[in-house]
Each structure stands twice: as C-alpha cells, then as structure tokens.
Amino acid sequence: AYNQDAPAGRDRLGRRSLSSGYGVPVKLEHPPFFIMPAQAGVMGTYCGLAVSPDTEVLDGRGEKIPGLFAAGEVCGGFHGRSYITGSAFAKANGFGRVAGEVMARSIRGSGE
C-alpha cells in the first residue's frame, strides 16, 4: 500500500513527509529491506509543567507548589513555537543545577 501511494507524495494516513516536513515518500524497491524493534518516546515537548525561574513547579493559579521542582523536558515554555534540536541535555543539566542550588539553599535556610 505504501509503494502504491508513494508516487502521489503521500501515504494512506495522509502523511506528506517522512519526518517533521522533511523528505518525501519514495517507493521502496531495492532489497534487502530491514526492520528493527522500535518504541515510541517523547524527545521534546512544547507543553509541560509551568515553573518559576527557580524551577519550582507552579499550580494552576501560578503559585509555587512547596518542595516540587522540575528540570529538563518536563518544563514547559522553553521552546516557544519551534523545537530547538539538541537542547535536551542542556535543559536537563542547566535546570537541574538551578533546582539543586535552590533546594540546597532552602535546606540550609531551614536549619537542617
């Protein structure tokens, strides 16, 4: 079915590209063909948890949830209107460091 639809530039699911608007469907004609096990995974998101500049998670009213922090891909609002490829580790490391520093300050400030 895929090979029948490829010359029209889309498949039966309506896709017109191979990934994110890049590449066009082409017939698969020359073996060998290979397949591998695959699993879906979220590599980035435009949405996510709202956080303060100190990575504290905010509730629906925009108030901090005490003791709850977020870092990396679960933080929302980082990308704006387009995903920034290759930014996952930087977000995890950068926001993770901020979260760790804020938590450490709060523990020292509480006398623990």
Side-chain angles (χ1 to χ4, degrees):
Y2 173 86
N3 276 348
Q4 289 173 345
D5 294 339
R10 67 173 177 221
D11 67 15
R12 292 183 184 195
L13 298 175
R15 293 178 293 199
R16 295 179 181 273
S17 70
L18 300 178
S19 176
S20 303
Y22 297 97
V24 295
V26 295
K27 279 187 164 185
L28 302 175
E29 299 179 293
H30 305 287
F33 301 113
F34 297 93
I35 192 162
M36 64 179 197
Q39 183 173 347
V42 176
M43 299 305 291
T45 179
Y46 294 99
C47 301
L49 301 172
V51 296
S52 74
D54 286 334
T55 71
E56 299 156 299
V57 176
L58 306 176
D59 65 16
R61 296 180 304 276
E63 297 178 19
K64 297 174 185 175
I65 300 173
L68 185 59
F69 296 82
E73 291 292 330
V74 300
C75 296
F78 183 83
H79 293 289
R81 294 185 58 161
S82 65
Y83 184 76
I84 304 168
T85 302
S87 64
F89 288 123
K91 287 185 295 193
N93 290 329
F95 292 133
R97 180 179 176 129
V98 170
E101 289 173 347
V102 172
M103 286 184 268
R105 279 196 307 268
S106 71
I107 290 171
R108 284 192 298 268
S110 68
E112 293 181 24

